[in-house]
């Protein structure tokens, strides 16, 4: 069970939201109508109630914040140190202290103005005192803007911290970055820690859980530690140091024998000796990881001596590979057994164990003499057992037959069929297809007939019956062949001629501009060509004009166009009307467009995820008598 649940801390609103929530609540929960002709004690009570309600709302919410956040002096030292590393203990205490001071100041402001309001002699004076009281409370809270924002960030980070129980059975992984700590925790637990081929992939503590000997264990993966003084270590490294210092766990110091992590074995040993005071009174195992790349026996003598010295000191060294899973289960079992034995030894050394042992007594029976006492079975029970035995031999089961015959055994269930004629048990069952027995359509002599036919064909082939020579053809057949050849050639020539023939004539590209008649005649005349009496000639412009006489209606007289572009676009109809014959056709196309859009509109309907303002004008904010002036104070 978790020791602390930081996920239950209430959300800390910003200063502006805090003020809006409280004033809106005051407006909703207190009366809103007052008149100046009421008795003065009733007017005073009306405004006193608003001031007291606002003060109580602030008080309750600020007290909730102070209660929810953990007090560093009351929680486990592991969490206290971890919060000091992550959030700075002084800053954290200062923020909570300022919230506490703000709460007391708001209480004092409310008390002072309620006392003053007892002497208010008119509605205006009571109202102004109420405004001043609420304004001072809001000002006090506005000054706590930075503290509230800081506490909200702390709350969000605390809720994302892994739930680590400092008192339960724990395995703690530590070592240089990129030596294989996260890969190990992924193998032995159900955790899914990100593994990448670069240093400091793990930037915070990760927890995985596993079962061993019917007990639940937690495995903590710490960020990598570098070998430098404690003062120079950053926040990421200090999380690992905090876990090593405070968690009662079995420590697994992971070393990379292949040195692919970027640090030599000598550097890894120096880090081990540097943080060794943190391993005091904890079971310790050195895990030589990445043995699939390089085993200890493949190392140089100097590096082999490092592991030999550790083993000589009584520290077990186990080779593992998280890639091939070699030695992973051995490390897990060894670490769990050592930690269990260590915890039992610590409990035996404590004072509580004597109180428990005094209440326990283990009885061990001893032999009273050397006489043999075999088990006694009553005579009647033996007689009943003999009566149940049958002389008939035991029936052989299919299982017994299978064991006897081995691979030669074939399951035959037809022998158990209950038929009138026992000989019919193994008869073949006719196959029926669409009401017909297939056996009726099979010739039993088909294979024999096929052999005879093949022999006959073979004799014909030998006799040369199927050999056809060109000489055997008569003259008529030869004439037909020659004629067919001529027809094929003629057909081929016709296809070629049709391909070469240009049916459409020369084509003008779309981008080519048509030249006016005057320009064309002038250019051709300049080249020495006689262009007189050419009225019957075909010009593109004339042809176009002649066609448009019958097709286009005469345009109404209008103002001359101001620009070339406007004159060109004047004759072009709108996109939604081009190609439409009359109003009936326009109506029909619009209807078709609406029908085609229905499916898309149906998909775009409002759903439960869409934003919806339920009440645009809430009564609690807009009801009540109101004179000219602003309504910001509400």
């Amino acid at each position: 069970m978790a020791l602390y649940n930081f996920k239950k801390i209430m959300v800390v609103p910003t200063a502006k939201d805090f003020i809006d929530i409280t004033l809106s609540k005051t407006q909703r929960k207190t009366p809103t109508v007052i008149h100046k002709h009421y008795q003065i004690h009733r007017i005073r009570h009306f405004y006193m109630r608003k001031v007291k309600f606002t003060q109580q709302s602030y008080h309750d919410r600020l007290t909730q914040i102070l209660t929810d956040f953990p007090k560093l002096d009351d929680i486990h030292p592991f969490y206290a140190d971890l919060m000091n590393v992550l959030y700075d203990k002084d800053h954290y205490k200062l923020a909570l202290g300022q919230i506490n001071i703000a709460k007391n100041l708001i209480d004092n402001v409310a008390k002072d103005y309620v006392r003053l309001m007892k002497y208010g002699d008119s509605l205006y004076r009571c109202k102004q005192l109420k405004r001043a009281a609420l304004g001072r409370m809001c000002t006090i809270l506005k000054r706590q803007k930075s503290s509230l924002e800081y506490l909200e960030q702390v709350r969000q980070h605390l809720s994302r911290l892994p739930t680590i129980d400092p008192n339960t059975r724990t395995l703690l992984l530590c070592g240089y970055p990129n030596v294989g700590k996260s890969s190990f925790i992924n193998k032995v637990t159900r955790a899914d820690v990100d593994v990448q081929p670069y240093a400091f992939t793990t930037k915070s503590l990760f927890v995985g859980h596993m079962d061993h000997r019917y007990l639940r264990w937690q495995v903590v993966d710490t960020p990598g530690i570098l070998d430098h003084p404690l003062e120079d270590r950053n926040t990421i490294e200090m999380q690992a140091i905090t876990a090593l210092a405070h968690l009662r766990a079995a420590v697994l110091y992971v070393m990379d024998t292949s040195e692919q992590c970027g640090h030599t074995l000598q550097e890894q040993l120096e880090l081990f000796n540097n943080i060794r005071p943190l391993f005091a009174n904890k079971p310790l195992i050195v895990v030589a990881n990445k043995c699939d790349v390089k085993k200890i026996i493949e190392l140089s003598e100097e590096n082999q001596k490092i592991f030999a010295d550790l083993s000589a000191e009584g520290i077990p060294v186990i080779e593992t590979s998280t890639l091939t899973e070699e030695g992973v289960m051995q490390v897990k079992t060894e670490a769990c057994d050592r930690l269990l034995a260590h915890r039992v030894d610590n409990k035996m050394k404590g004072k509580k164990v004597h109180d428990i042992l005094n209440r326990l007594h283990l009885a061990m029976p001893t032999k009273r003499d050397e006489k043999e006492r075999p088990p006694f079975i009553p005579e009647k029970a033996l007689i009943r057992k003999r009566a149940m035995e049958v002389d008939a031999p035991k029936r052989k089961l299919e299982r017994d037959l299978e064991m006897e015959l081995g691979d030669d055994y074939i399951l035959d269930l037809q022998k158990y069929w209950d038929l009138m004629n026992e000989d019919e048990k193994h008869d073949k069952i006719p196959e029926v297809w669409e009401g017909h027995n297939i056996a009726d359509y099979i010739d039993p002599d088909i294979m024999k007939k096929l052999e005879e036919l093949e022999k006959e064909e073979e004799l014909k082939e030998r006799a040369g019956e199927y050999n056809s020579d060109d000489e055997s053809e008569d003259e008529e057949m030869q004439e037909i062949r020659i004629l067919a050849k001529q027809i094929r050639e003629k057909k081929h020539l016709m296809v070629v001629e049709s391909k070469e023939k240009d049916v459409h004539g020369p084509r003008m590209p779309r981008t080519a501009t048509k030249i006016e008649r005057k320009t064309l005649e002038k250019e051709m005349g300049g080249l020495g060509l006689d262009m007189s009496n050419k009225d019957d000639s075909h010009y593109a412009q004339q042809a176009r004009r002649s066609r448009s006489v019958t097709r286009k209606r005469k345009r109404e007289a209008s103002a001359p166009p101001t620009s070339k572009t406007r004159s060109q676009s004047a004759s072009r109809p709108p996109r939604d009307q081009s190609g439409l014959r009359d109003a009936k056709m326009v109506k029909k196309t619009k209807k078709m467009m609406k029908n085609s859009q229905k499916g898309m509109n149906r998909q775009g309907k409002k759903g439960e995820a869409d934003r919806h303002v339920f009440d645009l004008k809430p009564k609690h904010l807009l009801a009540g008598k109101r004179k000219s002036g602003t309504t910001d104070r509400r």
Side-chain angles (χ1 to χ4, degrees):
M1 186 178 171
L3 195 61
Y4 308 105
N5 192 357
F6 297 133
K7 291 177 176 62
K8 288 187 177 179
I9 300 174
M10 292 279 286
V11 176
V12 181
T14 60
K16 187 177 182 303
D17 291 345
F18 213 134
I19 292 165
D20 289 347
I21 290 165
T22 308
L23 295 184
S24 178
K25 188 179 178 184
T26 304
Q27 184 70 2
R28 284 184 286 114
K29 299 285 187 181
T30 55
T32 55
V33 181
I34 189 74
H35 298 291
K36 61 184 176 183
H37 61 264
Y38 286 173
Q39 290 182 340
I40 190 67
H41 72 86
R42 184 176 173 185
I43 295 170
R44 286 173 190 156
H45 179 73
F46 175 85
Y47 287 110
M48 273 185 198
R49 186 172 172 186
K50 283 191 177 294
V51 173
K52 285 180 180 176
F53 188 88
T54 307
Q55 176 262 331
Q56 193 61 42
S57 299
Y58 279 130
H59 181 90
D60 293 346
R61 199 67 187 262
L62 293 172
T63 306
Q64 180 72 33
I65 291 170
L66 293 168
T67 310
D68 282 351
F69 277 90
K71 292 179 176 57
L72 297 181
D73 300 332
D74 297 344
I75 60 176
H76 193 277
F78 165 67
Y79 277 110
D81 271 11
L82 188 62
M83 289 179 71
N84 182 29
V85 167
L86 294 171
Y87 319 122
D88 186 9
K89 180 170 65 176
D90 298 334
H91 194 173
Y92 178 77
K93 284 187 173 181
L94 194 65
L96 288 177
Q98 286 178 336
I99 297 296
N100 191 33
I101 290 167
K103 183 190 73 171
N104 294 332
L105 284 173
I106 287 170
D107 292 350
N108 292 336
V109 165
K111 196 191 299 179
D112 293 344
Y113 276 90
V114 165
R115 194 183 295 120
L116 286 171
M117 209 169 283
K118 290 178 183 176
Y119 301 101
D121 55 356
S122 66
L123 183 143
Y124 176 75
R125 286 187 178 170
C126 292
K127 184 177 180 179
Q128 293 304 101
L129 285 170
K130 187 264 299 186
R131 282 187 67 187
L134 266 59
R136 285 191 65 185
M137 289 181 200
C138 294
T139 305
I140 290 166
L141 209 64
K142 276 180 184 175
R143 289 177 184 156
Q144 306 306 318
K145 180 184 175 185
S146 58
S147 296
L148 291 169
E149 286 176 355
Y150 167 76
L151 287 173
E152 173 59 14
Q153 287 178 357
V154 170
R155 182 199 70 80
Q156 289 177 4
H157 199 277
L158 272 175
S159 66
R160 289 194 292 266
L161 279 181
T163 306
I164 299 173
D165 187 354
N167 301 318
T168 193
R169 296 162 292 276
T170 309
L171 303 183
L172 192 67
L173 295 160
C174 65
Y176 261 103
N178 208 26
V179 293
K181 302 184 293 297
S182 300
S183 302
F184 184 86
I185 193 174
N186 287 345
K187 291 293 180 187
V188 297
T189 68
R190 289 180 285 274
D192 185 17
V193 184
D194 188 27
V195 177
Q196 296 294 342
Y198 49 80
F200 286 110
T201 311
T202 307
K203 295 185 177 66
S204 61
L205 298 176
F206 283 90
V207 182
H209 294 87
M210 66 177 187
D211 294 321
H212 180 70
R213 293 186 183 276
Y214 304 104
L215 295 170
R216 177 54 61 91
W217 297 70
Q218 69 181 8
V219 184
V220 180
D221 179 21
T222 61
I225 310 170
L226 298 176
D227 186 17
H228 45 222
L230 189 67
E231 311 82 55
D232 298 341
R233 290 201 166 106
N234 57 21
T235 305
I236 296 173
E237 294 174 89
M238 284 305 296
Q239 292 180 58
I241 299 295
T242 305
L244 281 169
H246 293 289
L247 294 179
R248 295 188 296 171
V251 179
L252 304 178
Y253 184 77
V254 185
M255 296 178 74
D256 183 2
T257 54
S258 67
E259 299 181 353
Q260 289 179 345
C261 62
H263 300 280
T264 62
L265 283 170
Q266 191 60 39
E267 290 175 353
Q268 295 178 53
L269 181 65
E270 286 172 7
L271 174 65
F272 177 79
N273 293 326
N274 190 353
I275 60 174
R276 194 163 185 176
L278 297 171
F279 303 155
N281 299 322
K282 293 186 180 78
L284 175 63
I285 294 176
V286 173
V287 180
N289 196 22
K290 302 186 185 177
C291 71
D292 56 309
V293 180
K294 190 179 283 188
K295 294 183 179 292
I296 294 176
I297 55 172
E298 297 172 5
L299 298 171
S300 62
E301 291 183 5
E302 185 182 348
N303 289 337
Q304 285 187 29
K305 190 174 180 297
I306 292 172
F307 293 106
D309 293 344
L310 291 172
S311 300
E313 292 176 25
I315 301 168
V317 178
I318 303 174
E319 288 186 89
T320 63
S321 170
T322 52
L323 185 67
T324 61
E325 297 188 13
E326 179 187 344
V328 171
M329 288 300 116
Q330 184 187 349
V331 170
K332 171 188 165 183
T333 309
E334 180 72 17
C336 293
D337 292 345
R338 279 175 170 265
L339 184 60
L340 279 177
H342 179 74
R343 286 167 70 92
V344 170
D345 290 344
N346 286 347
K347 285 179 181 176
M348 292 298 289
K349 290 174 186 174
K351 294 179 182 178
K352 289 184 180 179
V353 71
H354 297 296
D355 299 336
I356 298 167
L357 287 175
N358 289 338
R359 286 179 281 168
L360 295 175
H361 174 67
L362 184 61
M364 296 290 290
T366 55
K367 292 181 93 177
R368 59 184 175 182
D369 52 27
E370 298 298 327
K371 188 177 178 182
E372 288 291 330
R373 292 181 177 83
F376 172 71
I377 301 173
E379 189 66 29
K380 285 187 177 180
L382 289 169
I383 294 167
R384 193 181 302 155
K385 188 178 178 183
R386 289 192 203 101
M388 291 171 67
E389 290 178 358
V390 183
D391 295 336
K394 188 180 176 184
R395 187 170 69 91
K396 272 193 174 183
L397 303 174
E398 288 293 319
R399 175 67 179 162
D400 301 330
L401 289 171
E402 186 181 358
M403 295 300 290
E404 281 180 18
L405 299 172
D407 295 337
D408 298 332
Y409 171 75
I410 297 169
L411 180 63
D412 182 18
L413 296 176
Q414 289 182 335
K415 62 187 177 186
Y416 298 117
W417 288 359
D418 187 13
L419 300 176
M420 291 178 66
N421 189 359
E422 292 288 329
D423 299 336
E424 294 177 356
K425 281 185 178 180
H426 293 281
D427 287 357
K428 288 187 178 180
I429 301 170
E431 294 182 47
V432 178
W433 183 67
E434 292 187 359
H436 303 289
N437 189 350
I438 293 172
D440 294 342
Y441 298 90
I442 294 175
D443 187 356
D445 302 329
I446 187 73
M447 298 308 293
K448 188 179 177 183
K449 290 177 180 178
L450 180 63
E451 285 178 9
E452 290 175 0
L453 192 63
E454 283 177 350
K455 284 179 182 177
E456 188 181 339
E457 287 293 317
E458 193 177 343
L459 291 170
K460 283 183 178 181
E461 282 180 6
R462 285 178 187 171
E465 190 173 334
Y466 296 118
N467 295 338
S468 60
D469 297 328
D470 294 339
E471 297 172 1
S472 61
E473 289 183 356
D474 54 355
E475 293 179 2
E476 188 180 350
M477 190 66 186
Q478 287 179 0
E479 287 178 4
I480 290 169
R481 287 184 184 282
I482 292 165
L483 190 61
K485 188 178 180 183
Q486 289 175 354
I487 290 168
R488 278 196 290 271
E489 287 176 357
K490 183 70 175 173
K491 198 173 182 180
H492 178 67
L493 287 170
M494 289 170 69
V495 170
V496 171
E497 284 176 9
S498 67
K499 283 182 180 177
E500 290 176 353
K501 195 184 294 180
D502 192 358
V503 180
H504 302 287
R507 297 176 189 173
M508 289 287 286
R510 287 188 179 184
T511 53
T513 54
K514 292 178 181 177
I515 304 169
E516 293 183 9
R517 179 176 176 177
K518 288 179 181 179
T519 310
L520 187 64
E521 286 179 356
K522 188 178 179 182
E523 286 180 3
M524 292 296 144
L527 294 170
L529 197 67
D530 184 18
M531 297 301 291
S532 57
N533 300 323
K534 295 289 182 182
D535 293 335
D536 296 332
S537 300
H538 295 283
Y539 289 99
Q541 195 174 9
Q542 280 187 347
R544 190 175 61 195
R545 282 177 184 167
S546 63
R547 281 199 302 270
S548 63
V549 168
T550 55
R551 291 185 187 179
K552 289 189 180 177
R553 63 182 176 77
K554 190 175 181 182
R555 289 180 61 182
E556 295 175 5
S558 59
T562 55
S563 65
K564 188 179 179 184
T565 53
R566 289 190 66 179
S567 66
Q568 286 175 351
S569 62
S571 62
R572 191 177 297 161
R575 286 287 296 274
D576 58 341
Q577 293 177 12
S578 64
L580 301 176
R581 192 169 50 248
D582 49 11
K584 187 178 179 183
M585 197 171 181
V586 172
K587 191 177 179 183
K588 188 178 179 182
T589 52
K590 284 188 177 178
K591 190 176 181 182
M592 286 169 69
M593 185 180 74
K594 277 187 180 179
N595 289 339
S596 67
Q597 195 65 23
K598 274 183 183 176
M600 293 296 289
N601 292 348
R602 205 172 285 117
Q603 290 177 9
K605 279 186 179 177
K606 183 170 66 175
E608 58 186 23
D610 292 318
R611 183 173 177 272
H612 177 59
V613 181
F614 291 96
D615 197 352
L616 291 171
K617 290 189 173 183
K619 193 171 181 181
H620 69 275
L621 290 177
L622 296 155
K625 206 162 187 181
R626 189 178 297 177
K627 292 188 178 180
S628 61
T630 61
T631 55
D632 293 344
R633 64 189 179 279
R634 290 191 170 192

